[in-house]
Amino acid sequence: MRPLLAAGVTALLLSGGAQAASGDSICPNLPNLPFLPSIPCLELPPLPGLGGVVSPSMPSGAIPSTGQLPQPPTVNEGAARNAAKSGGETAPDYSALTRYLFHFPDIRLEILPKGKVPYLAVNDTKKTGANEWLVPYSQESGSLTAATGIRQAWQRFEDRYYWRANVELNNPALYITNCLLDLSIGLQTNAVRTIVTVSPSDVANHKDINGNYPFNSPDTIQMDSYFPWPQVKKNDYCAGLNSNILPEIPLMYLPGICFLFFGAPTGVCIEGDRSNITNPLAPAPLYFNMAEARKRVANAVKKAHTDYLKEYQDDVVKALFNQKNKYFFPLPWHSLVPGDGAVVAPVMNQSVTPKPVTDLGTLIRQKYQGQNETRLYALNSTPYLFQSVYRSPTLSLHTLPNRKDVLASPPGVWLFEEYKRTLPVTNLPFQERIGYATFFMAYNEMKAALLPESVTGKALRPLLYQATGILQDVFYATPVPQPMRIPEYMAGLPYAGVQTRYDWKSVPEGYGIPRVTGEPVIKYEQVIR
């Protein structure tokens, strides 16, 4: 299955859907960056057949026995009835947030003795005909492996981009030290952690949500460590580059001279423009070929935005569809055009602690207990989350005629359900009893940046031409470094293109799944029923 999937998804990383088929441009307007080559908007080639799908399966013991959910605290009915008299008078608008929904199929546990993987069903509520797709569960550890691979793909791209520019700018000096010798230390990638994210566009817009909800953002993808030497192998940035045969002096510069008298500065120098020097103690070059320096870096920028960018996208596909990642079953949904789909996988683990759910009940109580209009939410937060253990009679107060806490669609008390989006990955029985699922998602964004982005990275990886100056004493001369800045690249190397991001989204059952649109590229129904 996965080699065939990789071929198809490589195309999806570049383009997708009817928009590409029609020939319309999919590249948004990007800011003008120095010496950035034009990048044609690519069209989706025909996808190969995705036959030979192997039935996914889980390791023994992947589905834990149902852990113990705690008995919710008893709520004072009198206090709850008083609280129900105020608040809850307005309902949010869910018209744009309830198209793609999931539910747990009743037959899910019946297929486990057959050695197949559990799954959930996703529905397109606005599509007629075949509008349900079965999506297999993956192990959380498998999603972490995929996320690590996505992170490493970008780090490889960023590292080779910088070293290609640096070596090409300082060829032949760095060609000799970096391309004839391999100074790489390997990618220094930190362990990826699961971060369940919620953005404002995921939840309903309502006064009882705004200002209270704990929104957060996915991990930033960049180098985890910056060093003044390469992390990738020399072939990653030296391939296709030849050593310059012309001498750098006088092709690139003529060194300046400062005179000393037995080691003491005389203040007499023969030098040129000092506006782009970095060493104030050394003379500036008499002449510096700035046009040639710019040309060399521009060649590297073009290389990064053509060959390296394509290989970056190939690396992402390999990370997502890795045959060695046995318990990860990604489903490409529609395309990976930015804003038009994602690779999706519901995930589970073997944790049986209810603490995240009890903590969520405490969080809601603390946020909403301070005002009369929201006090009923505070009183019923924990009883609502654990109603599968014991249904408190105070929960029915949310259905009173004066309140709009419960809507025809989506189900449940909408405010409590929206807070389930903050819950972490847990075991499958807990997810079903509490009523939510956590999805790993990989998706593309258009990125325009100057690399490296971090302050530390910019400090450790400036792009400089390594010129020299001369200190001339009475009896001897000493060469001293005088690195020269290229003004257009002082803030970093320009990048404008796709970056693949990842995160985890928890979704209440019956509520909208972010980023899911259209239809999946493949279907698992025949192999997991």
Side-chain angles (χ1 to χ4, degrees), residues 465-512:
Y465 180 84
Q466 303 297 330
T468 58
I470 298 173
L471 298 181
Q472 179 65 56
D473 211 325
V474 176
F475 298 113
Y476 59 91
T478 304
V480 290
Q482 183 53 283
M484 299 294 292
R485 291 187 289 256
I486 316 301
E488 292 82 0
Y489 302 102
M490 286 175 58
L493 288 164
Y495 176 72
V498 168
Q499 185 184 56
T500 303
R501 306 286 301 277
Y502 59 83
D503 64 1
W504 289 258
K505 295 281 188 182
S506 289
V507 182
E509 188 173 10
Y511 284 68

Side-chain angles (χ1 to χ4, degrees), residues 353-395:
T353 175
K355 187 176 184 302
V357 190
T358 57
D359 288 349
L360 178 58
T362 301
L363 173 68
I364 298 173
R365 183 173 68 252
Q366 292 173 345
K367 285 183 175 293
Y368 291 98
Q369 66 186 355
Q371 299 182 17
N372 291 334
E373 292 78 7
T374 59
R375 191 160 294 154
L376 184 61
Y377 300 134
L379 292 171
N380 276 337
S381 59
T382 301
Y384 183 88
L385 295 171
F386 291 105
Q387 61 182 298
S388 64
V389 179
Y390 168 74
R391 182 170 175 79
S392 171
T394 59
L395 295 180

Side-chain angles (χ1 to χ4, degrees), residues 14-28 40-44 337:
L14 303 178
S15 180
Q19 183 181 28
S22 67
D24 293 339
S25 172
I26 61 170
C27 295
C41 297
L42 302 174
E43 296 185 0
L44 177 63
V337 172

Side-chain angles (χ1 to χ4, degrees), residues 3-17:
L4 292 171
L5 277 175
V9 178
T10 299
L12 288 172
L13 280 165
L14 303 178
S15 180

Side-chain angles (χ1 to χ4, degrees), residues 194-212:
T194 303
I195 300 179
V196 173
T197 68
V198 188
S199 63
S201 61
D202 297 340
V203 304
N205 181 21
H206 191 272
K207 63 181 180 64
D208 291 337
I209 289 285
N210 300 338
N212 289 309

